[in-house]
């Protein structure tokens, strides 16, 4: 029964990669990632077309954050590879921007809003190089785009959740990348900021940037994103939102149909770490 | 402001008297010889003094700079573990050629420190134990081994053992020319590293995931910093001693963290504080023979920290207390003004003054309390007192403030009932607090929102902006007049 549903799921047409291979922003092939010897992502295959705003959705523990971290080469992988713009991802990092989860940093850190956004320029600066006038200019423009320019010289602990998120977005904008990974940019953000971020993402997309956003709210996912990647330890489906956003696929993603897979994962974990009986 | 400052000054004074008492007890120093020693210290004639002072200042700078990163990376315990872990290395370095050769001790200590770090790493990554437990384990074990070895060395029949015991609590006077050279090299190295790799240290400390996504080798930067910290710990051993060296990394940086919100200022202040603490420790340990330097350096650093803790302009405990007190005094004055307004309003603003008794009755307090309050108003130029302080006349400034507070209160009540659908009897207590914090901008916005209404939910007139600006009792208004005054 389980395998039958899986084959149904896999029959959803995945988008065809564009002809010019060099312009594929992201290609993930057979990626498997384990935490403490317990697999959390299994055989991920994704070819992301350029100029799309893509939502990554799935239940808690589906491996959404893990997927984007692994895609940027930040985690050791058990198998598979990731290419960005036709090159191994580690060689393309200057073309990749990242918005981590807001809670991942200490907001009492002694830096100003300006300092944080300037970090977006660091990847472009060489070793021993200091930010130039041009970098400052870019940073101020990015702060303006997220309407945080008046706060440029504030210490970051005085910001609200929505403002913190906008600072992170400004930092990602300052990276001037072609491919963006964003980890829950809407978490703990007020409605006004959420709307502003969506507009910003659409503008970026219209300029031909590719954006992958980890998202956990299904109703809004349907409105915001061009494409959806339904994830639960493996890719349940990846395609245009209107094709993929249907009851069966969401049921397959959230409905606990993956018990066999997670049981096997537990078994692998038990054997590898020597706790199995 | 004066009292807390004196209090912080007390600490060094107490310390000085403590050394004095100690010296008197062992009968080696008298008051006059302490003065002599101090003179010798400040004239820098003695090369020991020059070496000790230069050494403690150098290590203060190094530890202050690197300690800032330790503190913001929340690795204070790591510094502690590292400093204890180097002790066996010191002993090995000594055994190498049975003398206190700075280079041999430096190499031994650095190797031991790195071994300790590796042990922590191994425990963390092969067991389910967390970092703090691993640090505690390694710290104690290495320290125990070190103490055993030092004890053995003390009993060896051969070799120049002098000063090896000083590594526990530090003795700045034992710093030699060779030690000083090594300290200078490490200090220059630390300053250069912080200047050249500032952005790398900053971004990896603040957001290591983001740093990695930009292609920074976070592990290399982390272990590079750890190596520098190990160097700093090793050069600080001679002066501060193994037991207390981690405080040199943490205390000046913690004090700087309380005083500034910017990393580069924190680095600068922390280095300055480290220097001050170093000089302080060198001076006090010089006052008596055999006084350890480490504890004095630490207490010097703690003095700086206490000043920052109590008097820091933003986060200082006493500063905050003063701000809070002045705010609550202001609120009290504003409430008194409001009561005077209410008394006059109940008389339809007939007569200019309010008697103390009327005020006390209105505020349901004793005459004495009312007198204290009215005197506070007089001190701030908000009122004048007549007939032995029994009649209170508001000054124009007093009227302005009274009108604007009443206006804030009533506007807020009206806003809550009209715009936020609160019941009229639910809004008073809230307005009691809000009236003191509403800024002009918010007041204008509320007025616009309320279409310049002129009566609060209880039917009382809201003073107009014109009333506020006139600085006198509000004039009777026609029923159709609006918030900006009767003229509109």
């Amino acid at each position: 029964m389980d395998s039958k549903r899986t084959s149904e799921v896999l029959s959803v047409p995945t988008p065809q990669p564009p002809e010019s291979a060099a312009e594929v922003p992201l290609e993930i092939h057979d990626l498997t990632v384990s935490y403490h010897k317990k697999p959390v992502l299994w055989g991920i295959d994704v070819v992301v077309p350029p100029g799309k705003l893509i939502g990554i959705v799935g239940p808690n523990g589906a491996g959404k954050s893990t997927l984007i971290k692994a895609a940027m080469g930040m985690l050791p992988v058990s198998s598979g590879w990731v290419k960005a713009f036709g090159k191994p991802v580690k060689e393309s990092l200057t073309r990749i921007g990242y918005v981590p989860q807001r809670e991942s940093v200490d907001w009492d850190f002694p830096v100003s809003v300006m300092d944080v956004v300037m970090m977006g320029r660091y990847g472009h600066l060489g070793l021993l190089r200091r930010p130039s006038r041009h970098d400052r200019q870019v940073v101020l423009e990015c702060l303006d785009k997220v309407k945080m320019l008046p706060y440029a010289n504030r210490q970051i602990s005085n910001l609200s959740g929505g403002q913190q998120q906008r600072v992170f977005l400004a930092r990602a904008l300052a990276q001037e990348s072609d491919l963006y990974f964003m980890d829950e940019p809407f978490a703990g953000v007020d409605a006004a900021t959420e709307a502003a971020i969506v507009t910003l993402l659409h503008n970026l997309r219209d300029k031909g940037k590719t954006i992958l956003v980890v998202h956990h709210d299904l109703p809004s996912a349907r409105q915001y994103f061009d494409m959806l990647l339904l994830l639960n330890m493996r890719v349940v489906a990846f395609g245009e939102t209107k094709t993929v956003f249907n009851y069966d696929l969401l049921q397959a993603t959230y409905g606990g149909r993956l018990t066999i897979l997670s049981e096997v994962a537990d078994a692998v974990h038990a054997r590898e770490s020597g706790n199995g009986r | 402001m004066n009292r807390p400052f004196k209090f912080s000054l007390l600490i060094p004074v107490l310390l000085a008297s403590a050394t004095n008492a100690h010296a008197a007890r062992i009968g080696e120093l008298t008051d006059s010889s302490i003065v002599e020693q101090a003179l010798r210290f400040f004239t820098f004639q003695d090369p020991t003094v020059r070496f000790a002072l230069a050494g403690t200042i150098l290590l203060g700078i190094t530890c202050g700079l690197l300690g800032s990163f330790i503190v913001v990376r929340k690795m204070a315990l790591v510094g502690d573990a590292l400093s204890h872990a180097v002790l066996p290395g010191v002993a090995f370095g000594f055994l190498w050629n049975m003398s206190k050769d700075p280079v041999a001790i430096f190499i031994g200590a650095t190797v031991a420190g790195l071994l300790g770090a590796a042990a922590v790493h191994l425990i963390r990554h092969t067991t389910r134990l967390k970092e703090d437990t691993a640090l505690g384990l390694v710290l104690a074990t290495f320290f125990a081994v070190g103490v055993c070895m030092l004890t053995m060395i003390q009993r060896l029949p051969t070799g120049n053992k002098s000063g090896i015991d000083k590594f526990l609590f530090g003795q700045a006077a034992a710093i030699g020319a060779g030690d000083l050279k090594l300290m200078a090299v490490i200090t220059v190295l630390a300053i250069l590293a912080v200047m050249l790799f500032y952005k790398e240290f900053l971004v990896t400390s603040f957001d290591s995931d983001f740093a990695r996504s930009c292609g920074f080798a976070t592990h290399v930067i982390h272990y590079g910093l750890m190596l520098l910290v190990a160097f700093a710990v090793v050069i600080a051993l001679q002066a501060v001693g193994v037991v207390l060296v981690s405080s040199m990394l943490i205390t000046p940086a913690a004090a700087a963290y309380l005083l500034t919100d910017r990393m580069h200022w924190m680095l600068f202040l922390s280095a300055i504080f480290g220097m001050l603490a170093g000089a302080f420790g060198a001076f006090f340990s010089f006052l008596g023979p055999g006084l350890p330097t480490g504890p004095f350096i630490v207490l010097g650093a703690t003095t700086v920290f206490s000043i920052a803790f109590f008097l820091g302009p933003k986060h200082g405990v006493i500063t905050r207390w003063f701000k809070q007190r002045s705010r609550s005094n202001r609120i009290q004055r504003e409430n008194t003004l409001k009561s005077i307004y209410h008394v006059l309003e109940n008389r339809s603003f007939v007569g200019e003054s309010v008697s103390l008794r009327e005020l006390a009755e209105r505020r349901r307090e004793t005459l004495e309390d009312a007198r204290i309050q009215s005197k506070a108003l007089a001190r701030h130029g908000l009122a004048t007192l007549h007939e032995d302080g029994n009649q209170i006349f508001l000054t124009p400034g007093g009227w302005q403030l009274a009108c604007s507070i009443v206006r804030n209160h009533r506007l807020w009540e009206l806003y809550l009932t009209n715009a936020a659908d609160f019941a009229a009897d639910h809004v008073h207590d809230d307005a009691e607090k809000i009236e003191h914090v509403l800024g002009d901008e918010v007041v204008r916005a509320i007025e616009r929102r309320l279409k310049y209404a002129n009566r609060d939910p209880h039917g009382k007139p809201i003073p107009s902006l014109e009333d506020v600006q006139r600085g006198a009792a509000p004039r009777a208004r026609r029923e159709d007049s609006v918030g900006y005054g009767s003229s509109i």
Side-chain angles (χ1 to χ4, degrees):
Chain A
M1 174 178 156
D2 214 80
S3 64
K4 192 179 156 213
R5 302 223 184 214
T6 308
S7 63
E8 272 172 19
V9 163
L10 289 179
S11 68
V12 168
T14 48
Q16 292 304 305
E19 300 85 85
S20 132
E23 273 316 299
V24 175
L26 183 69
E27 184 179 1
I28 300 175
H29 180 79
D30 190 26
L31 184 75
T32 297
V33 182
S34 311
Y35 267 137
H36 302 296
K37 293 176 180 156
K38 179 174 177 173
V40 286
L41 286 176
W42 293 72
I44 305 290
D45 278 308
V46 177
V47 179
V48 174
K52 296 282 183 190
L53 178 55
I54 299 155
I56 302 175
V57 293
N60 287 335
K64 301 185 294 278
S65 298
T66 309
L67 176 60
I68 60 174
K69 282 186 184 174
M72 286 183 288
M74 286 161 60
L75 297 175
V77 300
S78 313
S79 78
W81 48 257
V82 181
K83 279 185 179 176
F85 304 104
K87 285 190 285 187
V89 71
K90 296 232 173 191
E91 294 169 27
S92 305
L93 285 177
T94 47
R95 293 183 70 182
I96 297 178
Y98 178 41
V99 177
Q101 286 187 15
R102 193 157 50 84
E103 297 82 32
S104 66
V105 305
D106 172 15
W107 289 93
D108 282 330
F109 201 90
V111 284
S112 67
V113 167
M114 176 101 188
D115 294 334
V116 174
V117 180
M118 186 60 88
M119 289 177 192
R121 304 299 302 161
Y122 284 4
H124 297 283
L125 300 171
L127 203 62
L128 309 183
R129 288 262 315 279
R130 283 172 173 276
S132 66
R133 188 179 300 244
H134 169 72
D135 293 315
R136 275 185 68 86
Q137 196 57 43
V138 172
V139 165
L140 293 177
E141 282 165 17
C142 294
L143 275 172
D144 196 29
K145 276 182 201 156
V146 299
K147 303 208 169 51
M148 286 294 286
L149 199 52
Y151 300 87
N153 290 315
R154 281 239 199 142
Q155 204 251 331
I156 54 172
S157 62
N158 300 325
L159 303 177
S160 72
Q163 290 170 332
Q164 291 175 349
Q165 196 63 62
R166 284 193 261 172
V167 172
F168 264 14
L169 273 169
R171 182 176 68 174
L173 292 179
Q175 291 186 280
E176 297 187 324
S177 306
D178 299 312
L179 170 64
Y180 285 98
F181 293 97
M182 303 191 179
D183 204 343
E184 306 234 5
F186 302 113
V189 151
D190 55 290
T193 302
E194 179 151 346
I197 294 175
V198 171
T199 316
L200 199 76
L201 296 186
H202 284 152
N203 288 343
L204 276 177
R205 185 261 327 264
D206 294 342
K207 283 183 200 148
K209 318 276 188 188
T210 309
I211 309 149
L212 285 98
V213 179
V214 171
H215 194 60
H216 67 269
D217 182 48
L218 272 180
S220 56
R222 185 181 196 171
Q223 300 164 23
Y224 293 165
F225 302 111
D226 306 329
M227 298 179 74
L228 287 180
L229 196 162
L230 304 185
L231 189 77
N232 193 347
M233 297 177 73
R234 66 192 175 91
V235 178
V236 178
F238 177 49
E240 296 290 330
T241 303
K242 51 182 179 290
T243 348
V244 182
F245 199 93
N246 62 50
Y247 181 80
D248 287 339
L249 286 179
L250 291 175
Q251 186 72 11
T253 314
Y254 286 87
R257 299 279 165 86
L258 293 158
T259 42
I260 290 192
L261 213 52
S262 48
E263 269 171 28
V264 172
D266 285 336
V268 171
H269 171 61
R271 199 190 61 213
E272 293 287 319
S273 52
N275 299 336
R277 266 177 256 170
Chain B
M1 283 303 270
N2 217 1
R3 206 185 312 161
F5 185 63
K6 273 185 192 152
F7 173 71
S8 62
L9 279 181
L10 254 179
I11 296 171
V13 173
L14 279 176
L15 287 174
S17 57
T19 45
N20 195 355
H22 177 68
R25 185 168 51 77
I26 57 174
E28 284 176 310
L29 279 171
T30 60
D31 282 354
S32 67
S33 77
I34 282 189
V35 176
E36 262 170 46
Q37 287 287 88
L39 249 158
R40 263 178 74 202
F41 184 87
F42 285 116
T43 48
F44 306 116
Q45 287 160 345
D46 196 330
T48 323
V49 172
R50 289 202 297 267
F51 283 156
L53 192 60
T56 50
I57 285 178
L58 283 178
L59 77 90
I61 295 174
T62 311
C63 290
L65 282 177
L66 300 174
S68 297
F69 286 112
I70 296 275
V71 167
V72 297
R73 283 171 168 250
K74 306 184 187 70
M75 294 190 340
L77 259 182
V78 176
D80 205 19
L82 209 54
S83 60
H84 283 73
V86 298
L87 194 59
V90 172
F92 268 115
F94 181 81
L95 289 172
W96 186 259
N97 51 9
M98 296 310 283
S99 74
K100 257 185 61 199
D101 175 19
V103 177
I105 287 180
F106 179 82
I107 293 172
T110 308
V111 170
L114 295 181
L115 274 179
V120 171
H121 189 85
L122 192 73
I123 292 172
R124 266 186 65 199
H125 285 85
T126 55
T127 70
R128 61 173 76 178
L129 296 171
K130 303 292 180 282
E131 179 158 36
D132 56 338
T133 310
L135 286 172
L137 272 169
V138 170
L139 178 157
T141 310
F142 275 62
F143 188 62
V145 171
V147 171
C148 288
M149 290 180 67
L150 283 194
T151 320
M152 275 162 51
I153 289 171
Q154 292 290 323
R155 296 200 180 142
L156 285 179
T158 52
N160 174 16
K161 294 171 294 199
S162 70
I164 189 77
D165 56 322
K166 297 289 190 285
F167 280 102
L168 279 185
F169 292 106
Q171 181 52 267
I175 293 173
D179 298 314
L180 197 59
K181 265 185 216 154
L182 201 61
M183 285 177 166
V185 170
I186 299 299
T187 306
V188 169
L189 199 66
I191 293 175
L192 276 180
V194 169
M195 276 170 55
L196 295 178
F197 302 110
Y198 177 70
K199 73 172 192 290
E200 282 81 4
F201 284 139
L202 186 70
V203 69
T204 55
S205 302
F206 174 64
D207 191 346
S208 72
D209 275 354
F210 179 79
R212 280 169 71 195
S213 84
C214 295
F216 287 102
T218 48
H219 290 302
V220 175
I221 295 163
H222 176 81
Y223 286 108
L225 182 64
M226 283 299 93
L227 188 67
L228 282 174
V229 172
F231 286 169
V233 164
V234 175
I235 61 162
L237 285 183
Q238 184 87 80
V240 191
V242 171
V243 182
L244 295 174
V245 72
S246 71
S247 132
M248 265 318 270
L249 289 168
I250 297 162
T251 315
Y257 196 2
L258 292 186
L259 293 178
T260 176
D261 282 340
R262 293 293 183 282
M263 192 69 207
H264 52 274
W265 278 110
M266 181 173 167
L267 286 165
F268 177 75
L269 286 177
S270 178
I272 299 279
F273 293 162
M275 246 171 75
L276 286 175
F280 180 96
F283 171 70
F284 277 99
S285 78
F286 188 73
L287 289 183
L291 289 179
T293 318
F296 286 109
I297 292 188
V298 171
L299 290 176
T302 307
T303 308
V304 175
F305 177 81
S306 311
I307 295 173
F309 178 75
F310 287 113
L311 296 176
K314 266 192 198 155
H315 311 288
V317 172
I318 290 179
T319 320
R320 278 207 309 249
W321 180 76
F322 266 99
K323 276 186 197 159
Q324 222 159 23
R325 208 182 67 156
S326 85
R327 195 171 58 221
S328 75
N329 284 348
R330 178 177 63 85
I331 288 176
Q332 191 134 48
R333 285 197 303 276
E334 290 177 355
N335 283 337
T336 311
L337 284 173
K338 196 173 61 177
S339 300
I340 293 173
Y341 183 99
H342 286 151
V343 169
L344 284 166
E345 187 181 46
N346 288 343
R347 287 201 235 132
S348 309
F349 298 105
V350 174
E352 285 279 328
S353 72
V354 168
S355 74
L356 209 55
R357 180 166 301 278
E358 281 175 307
L359 178 63
E361 276 168 10
R362 170 79 208 177
R363 292 181 60 78
R364 296 202 183 97
E365 58 185 20
T366 62
L367 268 180
E368 207 38 53
D369 287 334
R371 193 182 299 279
I372 291 168
Q373 286 306 315
S374 61
K375 278 183 179 162
L377 291 185
R379 264 202 312 280
H380 284 83
L382 299 168
T384 52
L385 307 180
H386 295 271
E387 298 172 20
D388 275 347
N390 283 322
Q391 289 294 325
I392 308 158
F393 290 78
L394 291 189
T395 62
W399 269 116
Q400 276 180 356
L401 199 51
C403 287
S404 74
I405 289 296
V406 172
R407 182 158 169 263
N408 286 356
H409 182 102
R410 292 180 179 169
L411 277 172
W412 185 248
E413 283 188 339
L414 195 61
Y415 176 74
L416 285 187
T417 44
N418 280 17
D421 282 336
F422 277 61
D425 59 345
H426 280 43
V427 293
H428 176 77
D429 291 341
D430 194 48
E432 281 289 298
K433 291 179 207 119
I434 297 294
E435 65 193 14
H436 304 289
V437 294
L438 282 182
D440 281 349
E441 206 171 312
V442 184
V443 172
R444 297 290 187 283
I446 291 175
E447 280 190 319
R448 263 196 302 283
R449 179 76 196 264
L450 296 174
K451 308 239 174 357
Y452 306 103
N454 55 14
R455 296 236 163 223
D456 78 356
H458 314 295
K460 297 224 173 112
I462 299 172
S464 67
L465 186 66
E466 199 187 330
D467 290 334
V468 174
Q469 285 166 346
R470 237 159 36 95
R475 287 182 295 211
R477 282 198 278 177
R478 297 200 313 272
E479 271 310 299
D480 57 343
S481 67
V482 290
Y484 279 122
S486 48
S487 55
I488 304 172

